[in-house]
Amino acid sequence: MSTDDATPANAGSTPADEYEPHFESLGMPALRALAHPLRVEIMNELSDFGPATASMLAERLGESSGATSYHLRQLARHEIIQEDTERGSGRERWWKMAPGGVTIGGAETLETPAGREVTEQISLSWQQNNERRLNAYLRRGLDTFGPEWVEASALSTSHLEVTRDQLAELATEYYKLLNRLKEKWKTEPTGDRKRIQAQFNAFPLVEQDQRAEATKTVDRRAVDRP
C-alpha cells in the first residue's frame, strides 16, 4: 500500500514507459515513527496539497507550530518527508514528501503482530483521509470547480475474477500508466491546473468465501428438503 507519488524507488532516469514499479516498504522503525495520529495527518496534508511550513500545517490541523515542527522533524529523520530547499526565505522551513512517497505492508513488517497492528492503524488512517477527500468532492465539487471539471473526473468501481498474479499485474500496470502520464505532462503547457487525488483500489473481497459457503448450504438444504 502506497501513498503520494507513484514514482518507483528505483526509477532513476529510466524512461517513463519502461518503469518497472518497485516500492521500498517502510521498516519497523520508520513505521513506528509514522504511527502517530498527528504525523499521519501531517503526511496526508503534504501528500494531498503539496509543500507547507510548520505554521501552515498548525493552522490547518488546529495544533501549535511547536507541535507540528517537532513531528515534522521526526518524519524527516526517517526520510518520510524532506525539507523543500527551493522554497522559503530561511526564516521558516518548508517541507515536502520524499521522492517515491510512502509504501507500507512489506513482508518483513507483516511477519510480527506488532508490525501488522501498526500497518493496519496507518492503513485505516489513510483510508479515512481518502474518504474525507472524496466526500468533500461529492458534496462541493460541482459548486467549486464547475461542470467541466466534474465531467472530466472519474469515479470507477470494477469487479474482476483474477488470480493473485493478475492482481499484481493490474497494480503494476496502473503505476506504469501513472508514471508515463506524469512524465508526459511535465513537457506540456501549464494551463489551468488543479491539484487532484487519484484513488485506486483493487483487492479480493474477503466475504466471497462466506458468500459461496452460504450458497452451497442453501443448495444442500434445497436438495435435502422432502
Side-chain angles (χ1 to χ4, degrees), residues 58-135:
E59 183 176 354
R60 295 179 197 172
L61 301 175
E63 298 286 341
S64 69
S65 58
T68 53
S69 293
Y70 171 77
H71 290 297
L72 283 164
R73 291 194 298 271
Q74 299 308 306
L75 291 172
R77 281 183 57 193
H78 294 277
E79 301 181 340
I80 295 170
I81 67 171
Q82 64 184 32
E83 187 174 357
D84 187 350
T85 57
E86 297 181 359
R87 296 175 185 264
S89 60
R91 297 182 57 187
E92 188 167 23
R93 303 164 77 180
W94 284 71
W95 300 91
K96 64 181 180 179
M97 291 297 297
V102 175
T103 300
I104 63 175
E108 180 181 352
T109 57
L110 295 179
E111 287 177 352
T112 65
R116 290 194 294 271
E117 182 179 359
V118 71
T119 298
E120 179 180 333
Q121 177 186 339
I122 296 171
S123 298
L124 289 173
S125 296
W126 284 356
Q127 183 57 31
Q128 290 166 0
N129 178 70
N130 289 344
E131 290 175 0
R132 285 195 297 270
R133 304 302 187 211
L134 178 57
N135 288 339

